[in-house]
Amino acid sequence: MKRYNILLIVLLAVLTACSKIDNTITYSAPKFKKNLEASVRILNNKALLNTPWNMWVVDSVVILNTQSAENNGQFQLFSAIDGAEIGNFGFKGRGENELTNYLRCAVNVREKSLCAIDIKSKLEVDLRTIASGSQPKMKKSKMAGGISALHIYHWGDKLLSMGHIDPRIALTNGSASDTLSSYNDYPHITKEIDENVTAKLYYSIQSSSYAVAPDGSKICHTTRNGMIMEIFDVNKAGQISLRHIRYFFPTKMKNSMSGANDCMMGVIQTRATDKYIYALYKDTTVADTKALPKLGVFNWKGDEVCQYKLDAKVVDFAIAEDGSRVCCWVINPDGEEYLGYFDLK
């Protein structure tokens, strides 16, 4: 009897703790004093491409991490000015300067470099020649440590990986053989996800988006299926600390991967410059598949700056280096996909 009493006390303590967490969190939808209209226009709708895994803009060149029906390259290049096809690079394989997959990759706009990592190797690409159409220089090296996180960022001799379970965020040397610092706390998602490591893993894979300031001093994490924003500082010694957290919409899940029909969609993709955080998001429910997204602009304190209401179904985007234009991947009402753009004011 005593044993059952102890178990009951423990269970009640856990439930009470979770209840206290829920009661202390205040959800508040983003409120922007400045609301603008953005007209999405076609940049290139002729290229036969798969939906990109990722995209960036460097030196007025759009880099799409995707496959084309017209070449074997992993990265497709287009002009951010007129949409003209510039070239492609990167190939899947086990040969020189090839990787087995390109899921884990990132572009450092400031250093004009791309880093891609598979289970054993790292490929570093010099992007300074892509505007001229010349093939970029590539350097492949072995990875000493495996990277399980899908979100990475690379600058200098340091590598940032985000989305692990343990540690959640890790700053390492370039080969991932030595951890310099880490951050392992998670925000409250739901009671079930908070208490289940597997559920937390699946939620993080499906519903998390990370963005890093080009100078490497700040990190932003946002969520889909509900909407949370976390902002982290990375100091000169490389220590990672939570600076600010905002809960916009509560998370309601059908399972670990899919939001419930009445859950707010939240953030689809997040990008960052040294000055702003750009969040492509929906403030409508998961069930409302016809609603168009908005682009919310926040400062690095997490404050709302302005918002753009979009007139097309944008599913991914990248910010031009001068902050004047957004290049984006769009799906039209007929299900056709294309490279588009809209200008920022």
Side-chain angles (χ1 to χ4, degrees):
M1 183 65 70
K2 288 183 179 180
R3 180 184 177 188
Y4 291 117
N5 286 339
I6 292 171
L7 290 176
L8 181 60
I9 291 169
V10 171
L11 179 60
L12 288 172
V14 170
L15 293 175
T16 302
C18 292
S19 176
K20 285 181 179 178
I21 290 174
D22 289 332
N23 291 336
T24 58
I25 292 174
T26 300
Y27 293 93
S28 179
K31 296 179 176 63
F32 295 89
K33 293 181 179 179
K34 189 175 182 181
N35 290 275
L36 304 165
E37 303 285 333
S39 178
V40 179
R41 301 178 182 179
I42 294 172
L43 196 57
N44 187 312
N45 62 351
K46 304 299 181 184
L48 302 176
L49 306 176
N50 291 337
T51 303
W53 178 254
N54 220 326
M55 61 188 298
W56 309 270
V57 178
V58 176
D59 286 344
S60 297
V61 176
V62 185
I63 305 171
L64 300 174
N65 181 2
T66 189
Q67 299 80 32
S68 170
E70 300 171 321
N71 62 68
N72 294 321
Q74 180 62 41
F75 297 96
Q76 313 297 325
L77 306 178
F78 297 88
S79 168
I81 306 302
D82 59 15
E85 188 172 349
I86 294 174
N88 65 89
F89 67 90
F91 301 95
K92 285 186 178 180
R94 300 182 183 276
E96 183 180 1
N97 293 335
E98 294 179 344
L99 297 181
T100 55
N101 72 74
Y102 290 86
L103 295 179
R104 296 170 180 85
C105 61
V107 166
N108 187 316
V109 175
R110 176 169 293 187
E111 296 185 358
K112 301 190 189 303
S113 64
L114 180 148
C115 175
I117 297 172
D118 65 12
I119 194 169
K120 293 182 178 180
S121 304
K122 178 175 70 172
L123 185 64
E124 295 180 49
V125 184
D126 186 339
L127 300 174
R128 288 176 293 181
T129 62
I130 60 172
S132 66
S134 301
Q135 283 293 107
K137 294 180 180 179
M138 303 183 189
K139 180 177 68 175
K140 184 178 176 181
S141 59
K142 290 184 178 180
M143 291 293 292
I147 299 293
S148 60
L150 288 176
H151 308 277
I152 66 168
Y153 199 74
H154 180 262
W155 68 94
D157 58 352
K158 296 182 178 63
L159 179 67
L160 188 67
S161 54
M162 301 158 286
H164 288 280
I165 287 299
D166 186 16
R168 178 187 170 197
I169 303 173
L171 180 65
T172 71
N173 60 357
S175 64
S177 60
D178 183 20
T179 300
L180 307 176
S181 66
S182 63
Y183 183 91
N184 208 29
D185 288 339
Y186 276 81
H188 168 64
I189 305 297
T190 68
K191 172 181 173 293
E192 293 75 17
I193 292 175
D194 291 352
E195 296 175 354
N196 188 315
V197 173
T198 302
K200 192 180 294 184
L201 172 62
Y202 283 123
Y203 180 83
S204 297
I205 291 172
Q206 178 65 23
S207 300
S208 284
S209 178
Y210 286 87
V212 182
D215 65 2
S217 67
K218 296 176 286 290
I219 304 168
C220 178
H221 168 247
T222 56
T223 66
R224 180 187 324 202
N225 300 318
M227 185 171 166
I228 302 167
M229 175 181 286
E230 294 177 288
I231 296 174
F232 302 88
D233 285 331
V234 184
N235 66 20
K236 292 182 179 179
Q239 297 300 311
I240 303 164
S241 59
L242 179 65
R243 177 178 182 178
H244 193 60
I245 183 169
R246 293 190 64 179
Y247 287 86
F248 295 106
F249 303 120
T251 298
K252 302 177 184 179
M253 300 300 289
K254 187 184 303 181
N255 52 55
S256 298
M257 300 288 282
S258 304
N261 286 339
D262 61 343
C263 180
M264 292 296 185
M265 175 64 77
V267 178
I268 300 165
Q269 182 61 275
T270 307
R271 303 292 181 187
T273 62
D274 286 333
K275 191 173 182 181
Y276 295 122
I277 298 164
Y278 298 82
L280 181 70
Y281 80 103
K282 288 185 178 181
D283 55 4
T284 53
T285 64
V286 170
D288 187 357
T289 57
K290 294 183 179 180
L292 298 177
K294 301 172 182 177
L295 184 69
V297 184
F298 300 81
N299 62 26
W300 278 101
K301 295 179 180 179
D303 302 322
E304 296 91 332
V305 176
C306 65
Q307 177 175 259
Y308 292 85
K309 183 179 179 181
L310 308 182
D311 62 357
K313 186 179 179 180
V314 174
V315 296
D316 201 353
F317 72 104
I319 305 291
E321 290 171 82
D322 63 0
S324 65
R325 172 169 289 194
V326 172
C327 294
C328 52
W329 194 254
V330 189
I331 302 177
N332 71 16
D334 296 323
E336 297 171 336
E337 303 182 23
Y338 62 89
L339 179 63
Y341 76 95
F342 58 93
D343 293 323
L344 299 178
K345 300 176 182 178

